[in-house]
């Protein structure tokens, strides 16, 4: 399909593990909070003590349900938890409790925008499971002689969102992941903080001859924890597959790790099959029943989703696709932007200011949009001043910076700082005349055909007003005086 892979079509399917934002774990009352002392957030259930019984966390179920509903998945009234057996030091029970043959939700799709195009990437399923603990190999902590086991993460609720093998470029895969990331945060299901491992992606990659249907042998890249890594790792893996096959070799199904330092993937372990895990239904849990009431209550909690907002921004407010995507990606930003538009009725100006000035301020100050003293009402008032020509864009930025500090109104700051634009044409005309009179030689050059002197004059007049003139008004006055 894509020319860059000459005759080959890459196929990509992603599995995303997303921790749910609950107070406690999926089957125990231990806290689900990041950053505690190792092994302090555990109970007998998480430690796998004999005789303990898991009890399902209702809130985790609600959050899982919300994600499925947001993605238009089928929700199954009855689903089953199973034991997935494997041995690893961070898994004290010797098995992980996970939905397997009968997950709570199947099908659905993730709405994706890339380079101005909107499309859906179909999902296979979403299921619930518990997270495993963590091994700590860091020699700064362990002294190098040992590895430590931290079970704070053991039993943290997860959903695993599995896509169909239906993506064909690394860019689409990264855009899919961004969209999914945005949605799980929108619905309040997860913090999806990739640095904390809240949101982790495994990428399955294969290639096939363009125009053929049968899937090639896949490899799985484990635990890619940034959007950039996902894109780079998949791009590398596609090239590797093509090189191996074109070189007469064969791809072996295996799990691989991405090493960003070397820019390469390397083999981690061979293929695993379901039968290796000896799945069987978890005898200590009854089937999970999702009633219509629960489904309705969670559906009611869904906010307008990013793709719906994108559509409104483009179609109702005339924004460019990329701007619409940027502004809709985070719910707090989207709500701030929308409130500013409602107050100001200046959607395009509001879009530019939120995208540039507001987002930059958040990055620079490290604060969240909810903490910003410059509220949508403040910004809307400022935009009206800019739009009305009372405040230049450059001075408007200064007013905004002050507003962020003090929470004062735009008009108050503008007046206190003497930033009100000189747009009185009489006053501007006087200044323009003075500039022309004082620069007779420049005027002569201009008359002789040196057109760029016009802008020089504009600059001189702006200087005289100490940047407070509306440049469009200055140009107008100057044109009138020069009779052009
Ligand atoms: P497992 O859980 O054993 O890794 P699944 O069959 O559930 O296996 O597939 C996991 C992911 O791999 C899914 O996202 C699916 O779309 C993707 N996938 C399966 N086969 C291929 C393939 N040949 N090429 C690319 N992706 C694939
Ligand atoms: Mg897998």
């Amino acid at each position: 399909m894509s020319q860059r892979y000459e005759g080959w079509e890459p196929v990509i399917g992603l599995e995303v593990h997303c921790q749910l934002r609950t107070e406690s774990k999926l089957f125990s009352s231990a806290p689900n909070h990041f950053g505690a002392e190792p092994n302090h957030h555990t109970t007998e259930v998480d430690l796998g003590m004999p005789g303990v019984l898991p009890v399902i966390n209702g809130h985790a179920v609600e959050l899982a349900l919300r994600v499925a509903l947001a993605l238009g998945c089928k929700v199954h009234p009855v689903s089953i938890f199973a034991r997935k057996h494997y041995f690893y030091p961070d898994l004290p029970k010797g098995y992980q409790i996970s939905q397997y043959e009968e997950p709570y939700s199947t099908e659905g799709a993730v709405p994706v925008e890339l380079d101005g195009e909107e499309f859906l990437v179909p999902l296979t399923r979403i299921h619930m499971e518990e997270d495993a603990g963590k091994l700590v190999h860091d020699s700064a902590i362990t002294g190098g002689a040992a590895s430590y086991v931290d079970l704070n993460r053991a039993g943290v609720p997860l959903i695993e969102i599995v896509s169909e093998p239906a993506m064909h470029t690394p860019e689409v895969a990264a855009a899919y992941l961004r969209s999914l990331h945005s949605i799980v945060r929108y619905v309040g299901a997860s913090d999806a903080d990739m640095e904390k491992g809240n949101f982790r992606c495994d990428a399955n990659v294969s290639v096939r001859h363009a125009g053929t249907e049968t899937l090639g042998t896949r490899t799985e890249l484990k635990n890619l924890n940034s959007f950039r890594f996902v894109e780079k790792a998949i791009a590398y893996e596609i090239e590797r597959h093509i090189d191996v096959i074109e070189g007469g070799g064969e791809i072996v199904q295996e799990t691989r790790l991405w090493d960003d330092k070397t820019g390469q993937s390397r083999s981690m372990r061979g293929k695993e099959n379901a039968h290796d895990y000896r799945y069987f239904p978890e005898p200590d849990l009854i089937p999970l029943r999702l009633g219509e009431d629960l489904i309705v209550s969670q559906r009611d909690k869904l906010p307008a989703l990013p793709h719906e907002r994108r559509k409104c921004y483009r179609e109702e407010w005339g924004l460019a696709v990329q701007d619409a995507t940027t502004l809709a990606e985070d719910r707090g930003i989207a709500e701030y932007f929308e409130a500013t538009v409602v107050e100001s009725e200046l959607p395009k100006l509001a879009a530019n200011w939120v995208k540039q000035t507001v987002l930059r301020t958040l990055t620079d100050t490290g604060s969240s949009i909810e903490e910003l003293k410059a509220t949508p009402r403040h910004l809307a008032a400022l935009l009206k001043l800019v739009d009305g020509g009372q405040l230049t864009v450059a001075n408007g930025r200064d007013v905004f910076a002050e507003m962020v500090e003090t929470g004062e109104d735009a008009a108050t700051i503008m007046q206190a700082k003497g930033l009100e634009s000189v747009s009185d044409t009489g006053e501007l005309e006087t200044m323009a005349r003075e500039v022309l009179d004082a620069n007779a030689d420049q005027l002569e050059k201009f008359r002789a055909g040196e057109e760029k002197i016009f802008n020089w004059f504009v600059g001189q007049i702006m200087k005289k007003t100490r940047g407070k003139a509306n440049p469009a008004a200055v140009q107008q006055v100057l044109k009138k005086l020069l009779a052009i």
Side-chain angles (χ1 to χ4, degrees):
M1 81 171 269
S2 104
Q3 290 203 331
R4 71 200 223 228
Y5 298 121
E6 283 169 8
W8 293 99
E9 181 180 55
V11 176
I12 303 155
L14 300 187
E15 296 163 273
V16 173
H17 288 93
C18 173
Q19 288 184 351
L20 298 172
R21 195 166 76 185
T22 54
E23 281 301 313
S24 56
K25 293 188 178 177
L26 186 54
F27 300 115
S28 88
S29 59
N32 172 22
H33 296 150
F34 186 81
E37 287 281 298
N39 298 309
H40 278 51
H41 284 175
T42 51
T43 66
E44 295 83 345
V45 174
D46 317 301
L47 299 175
M49 297 285 181
V52 296
L53 289 173
V55 177
I56 189 126
N57 177 338
H59 191 48
V61 174
E62 289 175 356
L63 296 180
L65 192 49
R66 241 185 257 174
V67 175
L69 294 170
L71 297 172
C73 302
K74 246 188 210 157
V75 171
H76 299 284
V78 180
S79 56
I80 309 277
F81 284 96
R83 291 186 179 181
K84 176 182 182 178
H85 297 83
Y86 63 96
F87 173 79
Y88 208 63
D90 66 8
L91 188 77
K93 294 198 295 287
Y95 59 85
Q96 178 192 16
I97 304 179
S98 172
Q99 295 191 318
Y100 177 54
E101 277 173 331
E102 294 182 54
Y104 79 101
S105 133
T106 52
E107 301 175 43
V110 176
V112 179
E113 186 270 313
L114 181 66
D115 297 335
E117 235 186 284
E118 298 256 2
F119 48 92
L120 292 172
V121 173
L123 294 177
T124 311
R125 59 193 264 146
I126 310 181
H127 65 256
M128 269 177 264
E129 62 185 25
E130 58 177 344
D131 211 340
K134 237 190 227 174
L135 289 190
V136 180
H137 305 293
D138 184 349
S139 58
I141 300 169
T142 62
S147 288
Y148 290 167
V149 180
D150 178 4
L151 295 175
N152 284 347
R153 201 178 70 177
V156 164
L158 291 177
I159 45 174
E160 180 175 342
I161 303 143
V162 183
S163 86
E164 286 286 286
M167 291 175 270
H168 304 288
T169 66
E171 293 76 23
V172 168
Y176 162 93
L177 200 64
R178 271 181 213 285
S179 173
L180 187 58
H181 182 255
S182 160
I183 291 169
V184 297
R185 287 163 45 103
Y186 250 81
V187 302
S190 177
D191 293 331
D193 185 334
M194 292 175 93
E195 276 174 22
K196 291 185 185 155
N198 283 185
F199 188 86
R200 319 189 285 266
C201 174
D202 302 338
N204 294 270
V205 177
S206 65
V207 299
R208 63 185 169 198
H209 289 289
T212 61
E213 284 292 313
T214 315
L215 292 173
T217 304
R218 72 176 149 132
T219 52
E220 180 172 359
L221 295 155
K222 268 281 172 214
N223 277 334
L224 300 164
N225 63 356
S226 88
F227 297 117
R228 205 172 53 83
F229 288 1
V230 167
E231 199 170 318
K232 279 170 71 178
I234 293 174
Y236 173 86
E237 196 61 10
I238 292 170
E239 301 281 355
R240 192 183 70 82
H241 280 220
I242 296 174
D243 285 350
V244 168
I245 301 169
E246 286 186 345
E250 252 181 55
I251 293 294
V252 274
Q253 189 180 336
E254 62 183 354
T255 303
R256 297 177 71 87
L257 280 182
W258 172 247
D259 182 344
D260 200 57
K261 284 201 196 78
T262 61
Q264 293 180 336
S265 68
R266 63 186 147 82
S267 182
M268 176 180 152
R269 59 171 184 250
K271 102 174 182 184
E272 280 160 21
N273 280 317
H275 65 254
D276 297 330
Y277 293 119
R278 292 171 295 118
Y279 278 101
F280 65 75
E282 166 62 67
D284 291 338
L285 286 166
I286 54 171
L288 177 66
R289 288 177 200 281
L290 302 176
E292 199 48 36
D293 289 358
L294 184 66
I295 294 175
V296 169
S297 76
Q298 294 311 307
R299 187 169 277 133
D300 284 348
K301 289 209 166 72
L302 294 183
L305 293 169
H307 65 283
E308 294 160 346
R309 295 182 194 233
R310 288 202 290 267
K311 190 167 152 50
C312 159
Y313 298 175
R314 284 197 332 261
E315 292 176 7
E316 317 267 318
W317 294 343
L319 299 198
V321 184
Q322 253 90 4
D323 288 353
T325 301
T326 308
L327 291 166
E329 187 166 309
D330 177 88
R331 183 172 169 185
I333 306 289
E335 285 173 354
Y336 182 100
F337 165 63
E338 289 166 22
T340 309
V341 174
V342 169
E343 287 268 343
S344 66
E345 295 183 15
L346 296 165
K348 285 197 179 154
L349 199 57
N352 283 338
W353 277 72
V354 173
K355 208 171 52 116
Q356 291 164 15
T357 314
V358 176
L359 290 185
R360 191 171 329 114
T361 304
L362 296 182
T363 316
D364 291 350
T365 59
S367 58
S368 74
I369 190 97
E370 291 79 16
E371 293 163 346
L372 206 60
K373 283 192 188 153
T375 64
R377 191 180 53 74
H378 284 94
L379 177 59
L382 188 157
L383 296 184
K384 284 188 194 163
L385 293 173
V386 171
D387 185 58
Q390 285 123 289
L391 194 57
T392 62
V393 171
N395 285 337
R397 293 221 177 88
D398 289 347
V399 170
F400 186 80
E402 180 79 17
M403 222 150 78
V404 169
E405 292 285 321
T406 62
E408 282 278 8
D409 279 338
T412 314
I413 299 170
M414 179 178 79
Q415 275 150 18
K417 292 188 152 222
L419 292 176
E420 190 159 5
S421 287
V422 184
S423 49
D424 174 344
T425 37
E427 203 177 323
L428 279 182
E429 225 175 282
T430 314
M431 290 195 206
R433 236 182 260 287
E434 282 168 16
V435 168
L436 293 179
D437 288 350
N439 295 286
D441 45 339
Q442 299 286 5
L443 184 58
E444 205 170 304
K445 280 190 201 159
F446 175 75
R447 298 267 186 237
E450 255 191 74
E451 285 178 17
K452 62 175 195 281
I453 306 254
F454 182 85
N455 287 333
W456 184 82
F457 279 134
V458 173
Q460 294 303 306
I461 302 166
M462 290 296 289
K463 225 188 224 171
K464 237 178 152 59
T465 66
R466 287 184 292 123
K468 293 188 296 185
N470 179 337
V474 172
Q475 292 196 10
Q476 224 169 17
V477 164
L478 196 55
K479 277 187 183 162
K480 188 176 135 201
L481 289 184
L482 295 170
I484 50 174

